[in-house]
Coordinates of all heavy atoms in Angstrom, one line a residue:
M947 N 0.9 -1.2 0.0 CA 0.0 0.0 0.0 C 0.9 1.2 0.0 O 1.8 1.3 0.8 CB -0.9 0.0 1.2 CG -2.1 0.8 1.1 SD -3.4 0.5 2.3 CE -2.6 1.1 3.8
P948 N 0.6 2.2 -0.9 CA 1.5 3.4 -0.9 C 1.2 4.2 0.4 O 0.1 4.2 0.9 CB 1.0 4.2 -2.1 CG -0.4 3.7 -2.4 CD -0.5 2.3 -1.8
S949 N 2.2 4.9 0.9 CA 2.0 5.6 2.1 C 1.3 7.0 1.8 O 1.4 7.5 0.7 CB 3.3 5.9 2.8 OG 3.8 7.2 2.4
E950 N 0.5 7.4 2.7 CA -0.3 8.6 2.5 C 0.3 9.8 3.1 O -0.1 10.3 4.2 CB -1.7 8.4 3.2 CG -2.8 8.0 2.2 CD -3.2 6.6 2.3 OE1 -2.9 6.0 3.3 OE2 -3.7 6.1 1.3
G951 N 1.2 10.4 2.4 CA 1.8 11.6 2.8 C 2.6 11.5 4.1 O 3.1 10.4 4.4
P952 N 2.8 12.5 4.8 CA 3.6 12.5 6.0 C 3.0 11.6 7.1 O 1.8 11.5 7.1 CB 3.7 13.9 6.5 CG 2.6 14.6 5.9 CD 2.2 13.8 4.6
G953 N 3.8 11.0 7.9 CA 3.3 10.1 8.9 C 3.3 8.7 8.4 O 3.3 8.4 7.3
R954 N 3.3 7.8 9.4 CA 3.4 6.4 9.0 C 2.1 5.8 8.7 O 1.1 6.5 8.9 CB 4.1 5.6 10.2 CG 3.3 5.9 11.4 CD 4.0 5.6 12.7 NE 3.0 5.8 13.8 CZ 2.0 5.0 14.1 NH1 1.9 3.8 13.4 NH2 1.1 5.3 15.0
E955 N 2.1 4.6 8.3 CA 0.8 3.9 8.0 C 0.0 3.6 9.3 O 0.6 3.4 10.3 CB 1.0 2.6 7.2 CG 1.0 2.9 5.7 CD 1.3 1.6 5.0 OE1 0.8 0.5 5.4 OE2 2.0 1.7 3.9
V956 N -1.3 3.7 9.1 CA -2.2 3.5 10.3 C -2.8 2.1 10.2 O -3.4 1.8 9.2 CB -3.2 4.6 10.3 CG1 -4.2 4.4 11.5 CG2 -2.6 6.0 10.4
S957 N -2.6 1.3 11.2 CA -3.1 -0.1 11.2 C -4.6 -0.1 11.4 O -5.2 0.9 11.9 CB -2.4 -0.9 12.3 OG -2.9 -0.5 13.5
E958 N -5.3 -1.2 11.1 CA -6.7 -1.3 11.3 C -7.1 -1.1 12.8 O -8.0 -0.4 13.1 CB -7.2 -2.6 10.7 CG -8.7 -2.6 10.8 CD -9.3 -3.8 10.1 OE1 -8.9 -4.1 8.9 OE2 -10.2 -4.5 10.7
P959 N -6.4 -1.8 13.7 CA -6.8 -1.6 15.1 C -6.6 -0.1 15.5 O -7.4 0.4 16.3 CB -5.8 -2.5 15.9 CG -5.4 -3.5 14.9 CD -5.4 -2.9 13.6
E960 N -5.6 0.6 15.0 CA -5.4 2.0 15.3 C -6.6 2.8 14.7 O -7.1 3.7 15.3 CB -4.1 2.5 14.7 CG -2.9 2.1 15.5 CD -1.6 2.5 14.8 OE1 -1.4 2.2 13.6 OE2 -0.8 3.1 15.5
A961 N -7.0 2.4 13.5 CA -8.1 3.2 12.8 C -9.4 3.0 13.7 O -10.1 3.9 13.9 CB -8.3 2.6 11.4
R962 N -9.6 1.8 14.2 CA -10.8 1.5 15.0 C -10.7 2.3 16.3 O -11.7 3.0 16.7 CB -10.9 0.0 15.4 CG -12.1 -0.2 16.3 CD -12.6 -1.6 16.4 NE -13.7 -1.8 17.3 CZ -15.0 -1.5 17.0 NH1 -15.3 -1.1 15.8 NH2 -15.9 -1.6 17.9
A963 N -9.5 2.4 16.9 CA -9.4 3.1 18.1 C -9.6 4.6 17.9 O -10.3 5.3 18.7 CB -8.0 2.9 18.7
L964 N -9.2 5.1 16.8 CA -9.4 6.5 16.4 C -10.9 6.8 16.2 O -11.5 7.8 16.7 CB -8.7 6.9 15.2 CG -7.2 7.0 15.3 CD1 -6.6 7.2 13.9 CD2 -6.8 8.2 16.2
Y965 N -11.6 5.8 15.5 CA -13.0 5.9 15.3 C -13.8 6.0 16.6 O -14.6 6.8 16.8 CB -13.5 4.8 14.4 CG -15.0 4.8 14.3 CD1 -15.6 5.7 13.3 CD2 -15.8 4.2 15.2 CE1 -17.0 5.8 13.2 CE2 -17.2 4.3 15.1 CZ -17.8 5.1 14.1 OH -19.1 5.3 14.0
I966 N -13.4 5.0 17.5 CA -14.1 5.0 18.8 C -13.9 6.3 19.6 O -14.8 6.8 20.2 CB -13.6 3.8 19.7 CG1 -13.8 2.4 18.9 CG2 -14.2 3.8 21.1 CD1 -15.2 2.0 18.9
R967 N -12.7 6.8 19.5 CA -12.4 8.0 20.3 C -13.0 9.3 19.7 O -13.5 10.1 20.4 CB -10.8 8.2 20.3 CG -10.3 9.2 21.2 CD -9.0 8.8 22.0 NE -8.1 8.0 21.1 CZ -7.1 8.6 20.4 NH1 -7.0 9.9 20.4 NH2 -6.3 7.9 19.7
K968 N -13.0 9.4 18.4 CA -13.4 10.6 17.7 C -14.8 10.6 17.1 O -15.4 11.7 16.8 CB -12.4 11.0 16.6 CG -11.0 11.2 17.1 CD -10.9 12.5 17.8 CE -9.6 12.8 18.3 NZ -9.6 13.9 19.3
C969 N -15.4 9.5 16.9 CA -16.6 9.4 16.1 C -17.8 8.7 16.8 O -18.9 9.0 16.5 CB -16.3 8.7 14.8 SG -14.7 9.1 14.0
S970 N -17.5 7.8 17.7 CA -18.5 6.9 18.3 C -19.5 7.8 19.1 O -20.7 7.4 19.1 CB -17.9 5.9 19.2 OG -17.4 4.8 18.5
L971 N -19.1 8.8 19.6 CA -20.0 9.7 20.4 C -21.2 10.0 19.7 O -22.3 10.0 20.2 CB -19.2 11.0 20.7 CG -19.9 12.1 21.5 CD1 -20.2 11.7 22.9 CD2 -19.1 13.4 21.4
C972 N -21.1 10.3 18.4 CA -22.3 10.6 17.6 C -22.7 9.4 16.7 O -23.9 9.2 16.6 CB -22.0 11.8 16.7 SG -21.7 13.3 17.6
H973 N -21.8 8.7 16.1 CA -22.2 7.7 15.1 C -22.3 6.3 15.8 O -22.8 5.4 15.1 CB -21.1 7.7 14.0 CG -21.2 8.9 13.2 ND1 -22.2 9.2 12.3 CD2 -20.3 10.0 13.1 CE1 -21.9 10.4 11.7 NE2 -20.8 10.9 12.1
G974 N -21.8 6.1 17.0 CA -21.9 4.8 17.7 C -20.8 3.9 17.2 O -20.2 4.1 16.1
D975 N -20.5 2.9 18.0 CA -19.4 1.9 17.7 C -19.7 1.2 16.4 O -18.7 0.8 15.8 CB -19.3 0.9 18.8 CG -18.8 1.4 20.1 OD1 -18.5 2.7 20.2 OD2 -18.6 0.7 21.1
D976 N -20.9 1.1 16.0 CA -21.2 0.4 14.7 C -21.8 1.3 13.7 O -22.4 0.8 12.7 CB -22.1 -0.8 15.0 CG -21.5 -1.8 16.0 OD1 -20.3 -2.2 15.7 OD2 -22.0 -2.2 17.0
G977 N -21.7 2.6 13.8 CA -22.0 3.5 12.8 C -23.5 4.0 12.7 O -23.8 4.9 11.9
D978 N -24.3 3.4 13.5 CA -25.8 3.7 13.4 C -26.4 4.3 14.6 O -27.6 4.1 14.8 CB -26.5 2.5 12.9 CG -26.4 2.3 11.3 OD1 -25.8 3.2 10.7 OD2 -26.8 1.3 10.8
L979 N -25.7 4.9 15.4 CA -26.2 5.5 16.7 C -27.2 6.7 16.3 O -28.2 6.8 16.9 CB -25.1 5.9 17.6 CG -25.6 6.6 19.0 CD1 -26.4 5.5 19.8 CD2 -24.4 7.1 19.8
G980 N -26.7 7.5 15.4 CA -27.5 8.7 15.0 C -27.7 9.8 16.0 O -28.6 10.6 16.0
A981 N -26.7 9.9 17.0 CA -26.8 11.0 18.0 C -26.4 12.3 17.3 O -25.7 12.3 16.3 CB -25.8 10.7 19.1
S982 N -26.9 13.4 17.9 CA -26.7 14.7 17.3 C -27.2 14.8 15.9 O -26.6 15.5 15.1 CB -25.2 15.2 17.4 OG -24.9 15.5 18.7
K983 N -28.2 14.1 15.6 CA -28.8 14.1 14.2 C -27.8 13.7 13.2 O -27.9 14.1 12.0 CB -29.3 15.5 13.9 CG -30.5 15.9 14.8 CD -31.1 17.2 14.3 CE -32.3 17.6 15.2 NZ -32.3 19.1 15.4
S984 N -26.9 12.8 13.5 CA -25.9 12.3 12.5 C -26.6 11.2 11.7 O -27.4 10.4 12.2 CB -24.7 11.8 13.2 OG -25.0 10.8 14.1
P985 N -26.2 11.2 10.4 CA -26.8 10.1 9.6 C -26.2 8.7 9.8 O -25.1 8.6 10.4 CB -26.4 10.6 8.2 CG -25.2 11.5 8.4 CD -25.3 12.1 9.7
M986 N -27.0 7.7 9.5 CA -26.5 6.3 9.6 C -25.4 6.1 8.6 O -25.5 6.4 7.4 CB -27.6 5.4 9.2 CG -29.0 5.5 9.9 SD -28.8 5.0 11.6 CE -29.0 6.5 12.4
L987 N -24.3 5.6 9.1 CA -23.1 5.4 8.2 C -23.4 4.1 7.4 O -22.8 3.9 6.3 CB -21.8 5.2 9.0 CG -21.4 6.5 9.8 CD1 -20.1 6.3 10.5 CD2 -21.4 7.7 8.9
S988 N -24.3 3.3 7.8 CA -24.6 2.1 7.0 C -25.3 2.4 5.7 O -25.2 1.6 4.7 CB -25.6 1.1 7.8 OG -26.8 1.8 8.1
T989 N -25.9 3.6 5.6 CA -26.6 3.9 4.3 C -25.8 5.0 3.6 O -26.3 5.5 2.5 CB -28.0 4.4 4.6 OG1 -28.0 5.4 5.5 CG2 -28.9 3.2 5.1
S990 N -24.6 5.4 4.1 CA -23.9 6.4 3.4 C -23.4 5.9 2.0 O -23.0 4.8 1.9 CB -22.7 6.8 4.3 OG -21.9 7.8 3.6
T991 N -23.4 6.8 1.1 CA -22.9 6.5 -0.3 C -21.7 7.4 -0.7 O -21.3 7.4 -1.9 CB -24.0 6.6 -1.3 OG1 -24.5 8.0 -1.2 CG2 -25.2 5.6 -1.0
L992 N -21.2 8.1 0.3 CA -20.1 9.0 -0.1 C -18.8 8.2 -0.5 O -18.6 7.1 0.0 CB -19.7 9.9 1.1 CG -20.7 10.8 1.7 CD1 -20.1 11.7 2.8 CD2 -21.3 11.7 0.6
S993 N -18.1 8.7 -1.5 CA -16.9 8.1 -1.9 C -15.8 8.3 -0.9 O -16.0 9.2 0.0 CB -16.4 8.7 -3.3 OG -16.0 10.1 -3.0
L994 N -14.7 7.6 -1.0 CA -13.6 7.7 -0.1 C -13.1 9.2 0.0 O -12.9 9.8 1.0 CB -12.4 6.8 -0.5 CG -11.2 6.9 0.4 CD1 -11.5 6.5 1.9 CD2 -10.1 6.1 -0.1
E995 N -13.0 9.8 -1.2 CA -12.5 11.2 -1.3 C -13.5 12.1 -0.6 O -13.0 13.0 0.1 CB -12.5 11.5 -2.8 CG -11.5 12.5 -3.2 CD -11.4 12.8 -4.7 OE1 -12.5 12.6 -5.4 OE2 -10.3 13.1 -5.2
E996 N -14.8 11.9 -0.8 CA -15.8 12.8 -0.1 C -15.7 12.6 1.4 O -15.9 13.6 2.1 CB -17.2 12.4 -0.7 CG -17.4 12.8 -2.1 CD -18.7 12.3 -2.7 OE1 -19.1 11.1 -2.4 OE2 -19.3 13.0 -3.5
R997 N -15.5 11.4 1.8 CA -15.5 11.1 3.3 C -14.2 11.8 3.9 O -14.3 12.4 4.9 CB -15.4 9.6 3.5 CG -16.8 9.0 3.5 CD -16.8 7.5 3.7 NE -16.5 6.8 2.4 CZ -15.7 5.8 2.2 NH1 -15.0 5.3 3.2 NH2 -15.6 5.3 1.0
V998 N -13.1 11.7 3.2 CA -11.9 12.3 3.7 C -12.1 13.8 3.8 O -11.7 14.4 4.8 CB -10.7 12.0 2.7 CG1 -9.5 12.9 3.0 CG2 -10.3 10.5 2.9
A999 N -12.7 14.4 2.8 CA -13.0 15.9 2.8 C -13.9 16.2 4.0 O -13.6 17.1 4.8 CB -13.5 16.3 1.5
L1000 N -15.0 15.4 4.2 CA -15.9 15.7 5.2 C -15.3 15.6 6.6 O -15.5 16.4 7.5 CB -17.1 14.7 5.1 CG -18.2 14.8 6.2 CD1 -19.0 16.0 6.0 CD2 -19.0 13.5 6.2
I1001 N -14.5 14.5 6.8 CA -13.8 14.3 8.1 C -12.8 15.4 8.3 O -12.7 15.9 9.5 CB -13.2 12.9 8.2 CG1 -14.3 11.8 8.1 CG2 -12.4 12.7 9.4 CD1 -13.8 10.4 7.7
T1002 N -12.1 15.8 7.3 CA -11.1 16.8 7.4 C -11.7 18.2 7.8 O -11.2 18.8 8.8 CB -10.3 17.0 6.1 OG1 -9.7 15.7 5.8 CG2 -9.2 18.0 6.3
Y1003 N -12.8 18.6 7.1 CA -13.3 19.9 7.3 C -14.6 20.0 8.1 O -15.0 21.1 8.5 CB -13.5 20.6 5.9 CG -12.2 20.7 5.1 CD1 -12.0 19.9 4.0 CD2 -11.2 21.6 5.6 CE1 -10.8 19.9 3.4 CE2 -10.0 21.6 4.9 CZ -9.8 20.8 3.8 OH -8.6 20.9 3.1
G1004 N -15.2 18.8 8.4 CA -16.4 18.8 9.2 C -17.6 19.4 8.4 O -17.4 19.8 7.3
K1005 N -18.7 19.3 9.1 CA -19.9 19.9 8.4 C -21.0 20.0 9.5 O -21.3 19.0 10.2 CB -20.4 18.9 7.3 CG -21.5 19.5 6.4 CD -21.9 18.5 5.3 CE -23.0 19.1 4.5 NZ -23.6 18.1 3.6
G1006 N -21.7 21.1 9.6 CA -22.7 21.3 10.6 C -22.1 21.1 12.0 O -21.1 21.6 12.3
T1007 N -22.8 20.1 12.7 CA -22.3 19.9 14.1 C -21.1 18.8 14.1 O -20.6 18.5 15.1 CB -23.4 19.3 14.9 OG1 -24.1 18.3 14.3 CG2 -24.4 20.4 15.3
M1008 N -20.8 18.3 12.9 CA -19.7 17.3 12.8 C -18.4 18.1 12.9 O -18.2 18.9 12.0 CB -19.8 16.4 11.6 CG -18.6 15.5 11.5 SD -18.9 14.1 10.4 CE -17.2 13.7 10.0
P1009 N -17.6 17.8 13.9 CA -16.3 18.6 14.0 C -15.3 18.2 13.0 O -15.1 17.1 12.7 CB -15.9 18.2 15.5 CG -16.5 16.8 15.7 CD -17.7 16.8 14.9
A1010 N -14.6 19.3 12.5 CA -13.4 19.1 11.6 C -12.3 18.4 12.4 O -12.1 18.6 13.6 CB -12.9 20.4 11.2
Q1011 N -11.6 17.5 11.7 CA -10.4 16.8 12.3 C -9.1 17.3 11.8 O -8.0 16.9 12.3 CB -10.5 15.3 12.0 CG -11.8 14.6 12.6 CD -11.9 14.7 14.1 OE1 -10.9 14.6 14.8 NE2 -13.1 14.9 14.6
K1012 N -9.1 18.3 11.0 CA -7.9 19.0 10.5 C -7.1 19.5 11.7 O -7.7 20.2 12.5 CB -8.3 20.1 9.5 CG -7.2 20.6 8.7 CD -7.7 21.7 7.7 CE -6.8 22.5 7.0 NZ -5.6 22.2 6.5
G1013 N -5.9 19.2 11.8 CA -5.1 19.7 12.9 C -5.2 18.8 14.2 O -4.5 19.0 15.1
I1014 N -6.2 17.8 14.1 CA -6.3 16.9 15.2 C -5.8 15.5 14.8 O -5.0 14.9 15.5 CB -7.8 16.9 15.7 CG1 -8.3 18.2 16.1 CG2 -8.0 15.8 16.7 CD1 -9.8 18.4 16.3
L1015 N -6.3 15.1 13.7 CA -5.8 13.8 13.1 C -5.0 14.2 11.9 O -5.3 15.2 11.2 CB -7.0 12.9 12.7 CG -8.0 12.5 13.7 CD1 -9.0 11.5 13.1 CD2 -7.2 11.8 14.9
N1016 N -3.9 13.4 11.6 CA -3.2 13.7 10.4 C -3.8 13.1 9.2 O -4.8 12.3 9.3 CB -1.7 13.3 10.5 CG -1.5 11.8 10.7 OD1 -2.2 11.0 10.1 ND2 -0.5 11.4 11.5
K1017 N -3.3 13.3 8.0 CA -3.9 12.9 6.7 C -4.0 11.3 6.7 O -5.1 10.8 6.3 CB -3.1 13.4 5.6 CG -3.8 13.4 4.3 CD -3.0 14.1 3.2 CE -3.9 14.4 2.0 NZ -4.4 13.1 1.3
A1018 N -3.0 10.7 7.1 CA -3.0 9.2 7.1 C -4.1 8.7 8.1 O -4.8 7.7 7.8 CB -1.6 8.6 7.5
E1019 N -4.2 9.3 9.2 CA -5.2 8.9 10.2 C -6.6 9.1 9.6 O -7.5 8.3 9.8 CB -5.0 9.6 11.5 CG -3.8 9.2 12.3 CD -3.4 10.1 13.4 OE1 -3.8 11.3 13.4 OE2 -2.8 9.6 14.4
I1020 N -6.8 10.3 9.0 CA -8.2 10.6 8.5 C -8.5 9.6 7.4 O -9.6 9.1 7.3 CB -8.2 12.1 7.9 CG1 -8.2 13.0 9.1 CG2 -9.4 12.3 7.1 CD1 -8.0 14.5 8.8
T1021 N -7.6 9.3 6.5 CA -7.8 8.3 5.4 C -8.1 7.0 6.0 O -9.0 6.3 5.5 CB -6.6 8.3 4.5 OG1 -6.3 9.6 4.0 CG2 -6.9 7.4 3.3
A1022 N -7.4 6.6 7.0 CA -7.6 5.3 7.7 C -9.0 5.2 8.3 O -9.7 4.2 8.1 CB -6.5 5.0 8.7
V1023 N -9.5 6.2 8.9 CA -10.8 6.2 9.5 C -11.9 6.2 8.4 O -12.9 5.5 8.5 CB -11.0 7.4 10.5 CG1 -12.4 7.6 11.0 CG2 -10.1 7.3 11.7
A1024 N -11.6 7.0 7.4 CA -12.6 7.0 6.2 C -12.7 5.7 5.6 O -13.8 5.3 5.2 CB -12.1 8.1 5.2
R1025 N -11.6 4.9 5.5 CA -11.7 3.5 5.0 C -12.4 2.6 6.0 O -13.2 1.8 5.6 CB -10.3 3.0 4.8 CG -9.6 3.5 3.6 CD -8.8 2.5 2.9 NE -8.2 3.0 1.7 CZ -7.0 3.6 1.7 NH1 -6.2 3.7 2.7 NH2 -6.5 4.1 0.5
Y1026 N -12.0 2.8 7.3 CA -12.6 1.9 8.3 C -14.1 1.9 8.3 O -14.7 0.8 8.5 CB -12.1 2.4 9.7 CG -12.6 1.6 10.8 CD1 -12.1 0.3 11.1 CD2 -13.7 2.0 11.6 CE1 -12.6 -0.4 12.1 CE2 -14.3 1.3 12.6 CZ -13.7 0.0 12.9 OH -14.3 -0.7 13.8
I1027 N -14.7 3.1 8.2 CA -16.2 3.1 8.3 C -16.9 2.5 7.1 O -18.2 2.3 7.2 CB -16.7 4.6 8.5 CG1 -16.3 5.5 7.3 CG2 -16.1 5.1 9.8 CD1 -16.9 6.9 7.5
E1028 N -16.2 2.1 6.1 CA -16.9 1.4 5.0 C -17.5 0.1 5.5 O -18.5 -0.4 4.9 CB -15.9 1.1 3.9 CG -16.2 1.8 2.6 CD -15.1 1.6 1.6 OE1 -14.8 0.5 1.2 OE2 -14.6 2.6 1.2
R1029 N -16.9 -0.5 6.5 CA -17.4 -1.8 7.0 C -18.9 -1.7 7.6 O -19.5 -2.7 7.8 CB -16.5 -2.4 8.1 CG -16.7 -1.6 9.4 CD -15.6 -2.0 10.4 NE -14.3 -1.9 9.7 CZ -13.3 -2.8 9.8 NH1 -13.4 -3.8 10.6 NH2 -12.2 -2.7 9.1
F1030 N -19.3 -0.5 7.9 CA -20.6 -0.3 8.4 C -21.7 -0.3 7.4 O -22.9 -0.4 7.7 CB -20.8 1.0 9.2 CG -19.8 1.2 10.3 CD1 -19.2 2.4 10.6 CD2 -19.5 0.1 11.1 CE1 -18.3 2.5 11.6 CE2 -18.6 0.2 12.2 CZ -18.0 1.5 12.4
R1031 N -21.3 -0.3 6.1 CA -22.3 -0.2 5.0 C -23.1 -1.6 4.9 O -22.5 -2.6 5.1 CB -21.6 0.1 3.7 CG -21.1 1.5 3.8 CD -20.6 2.0 2.4 NE -20.1 3.4 2.5 CZ -19.8 4.1 1.5 NH1 -19.8 3.7 0.3 NH2 -19.4 5.4 1.7
N1032 N -24.3 -1.4 4.5 CA -25.2 -2.6 4.4 C -24.8 -3.4 3.1 O -24.4 -2.8 2.1 CB -26.6 -2.2 4.3 CG -27.2 -1.7 5.6 OD1 -26.8 -2.1 6.6 ND2 -28.0 -0.6 5.5
Ligands
HEC1599 C1 -20.6 15.8 17.2 C2 -21.2 14.6 16.5 C3 -20.3 14.0 15.4 C4 -19.1 13.5 15.5 C5 -18.2 13.4 16.8 C6 -18.8 12.9 14.2 N1 -19.8 13.1 13.4 FE1 -19.9 12.5 11.4 N2 -21.6 13.5 11.2 C7 -22.3 14.2 12.2 C8 -23.4 14.9 11.6 C9 -24.4 15.8 12.3 C10 -23.4 14.6 10.2 C11 -24.3 15.2 9.1 C12 -23.6 16.4 8.6 C13 -24.4 17.2 7.6 O1 -24.7 16.7 6.5 O2 -24.9 18.3 7.9 C14 -22.3 13.7 10.0 C15 -21.9 13.1 8.8 C16 -21.0 12.1 8.6 C17 -20.7 11.4 7.4 C18 -21.5 11.5 6.1 C19 -22.6 10.5 6.0 C20 -23.4 10.7 4.7 O3 -23.3 9.9 3.8 O4 -24.1 11.7 4.7 C21 -19.7 10.6 7.6 C22 -19.1 9.6 6.6 C23 -19.2 10.8 9.0 N3 -20.0 11.8 9.5 C24 -18.2 10.2 9.6 C25 -17.6 10.6 10.8 C26 -16.3 10.2 11.3 C27 -15.4 9.2 10.6 C28 -16.1 10.8 12.5 C29 -14.9 10.8 13.4 C30 -13.7 11.3 12.8 C31 -17.3 11.6 12.7 N4 -18.2 11.5 11.7 C32 -17.5 12.3 13.9 C33 -22.0 14.2 13.5 C34 -20.8 13.8 14.0

């Protein structure tokens, strides 16, 4: 796998840990909690690129992760949440 810019590669357990720490509050451990009016991740159709942008810059009440997570971490989390899709 090519490396994603600065920073080392992020393993799947690390991606899960980041998800639990930064995203579960609203989206739940399995993507479908729907707290704070967040959409179900199981029915999301956003592309990887769109998810990376959304996670980086945030939207509405969803907090931006720019400056909190690095690019490799954001990409890893964006990939990780694909498992929640139906
Ligand atoms: C404070 C609550 C909150 C947190 C924390 C949060 N989100 Fe969200 N998320 C939202 C809300 C609200 C939306 C809907 C944004 C909108 O469209 O206005 C959203 C939308 C999304 C979407 C788009 C789904 C779709 O197809 O429309 C994805 C993907 C997503 N979040 C992933 C994440 C990830 C990954 C994290 C952790 C890095 C995260 N969210 C953290 C509240 C949150």
Side-chain angles (χ1 to χ4, degrees):
M947 201 164 70
S949 95
E950 256 106 23
R954 55 197 184 76
E955 267 178 39
V956 179
S957 71
E958 186 174 311
E960 284 173 309
R962 175 159 180 85
L964 289 171
Y965 176 83
I966 300 288
R967 190 141 40 91
K968 298 287 179 194
C969 322
S970 281
L971 177 69
C972 295
H973 294 287
D975 289 2
D976 298 310
D978 279 352
L979 180 63
S982 286
K983 296 186 180 144
S984 59
M986 304 290 111
L987 297 184
S988 60
T989 55
S990 177
T991 56
L992 297 185
S993 68
L994 178 63
E995 209 176 29
E996 291 169 322
R997 279 176 275 139
V998 166
L1000 176 72
I1001 296 164
T1002 304
Y1003 299 107
K1005 189 177 176 190
T1007 51
M1008 178 162 156
Q1011 298 300 322
K1012 194 174 169 39
I1014 297 169
L1015 301 183
N1016 67 34
K1017 199 169 190 304
E1019 290 169 331
I1020 289 172
T1021 304
V1023 172
R1025 283 217 179 92
Y1026 177 79
I1027 61 178
E1028 242 173 64
R1029 74 192 47 220
F1030 300 143
R1031 293 188 178 190
N1032 291 324

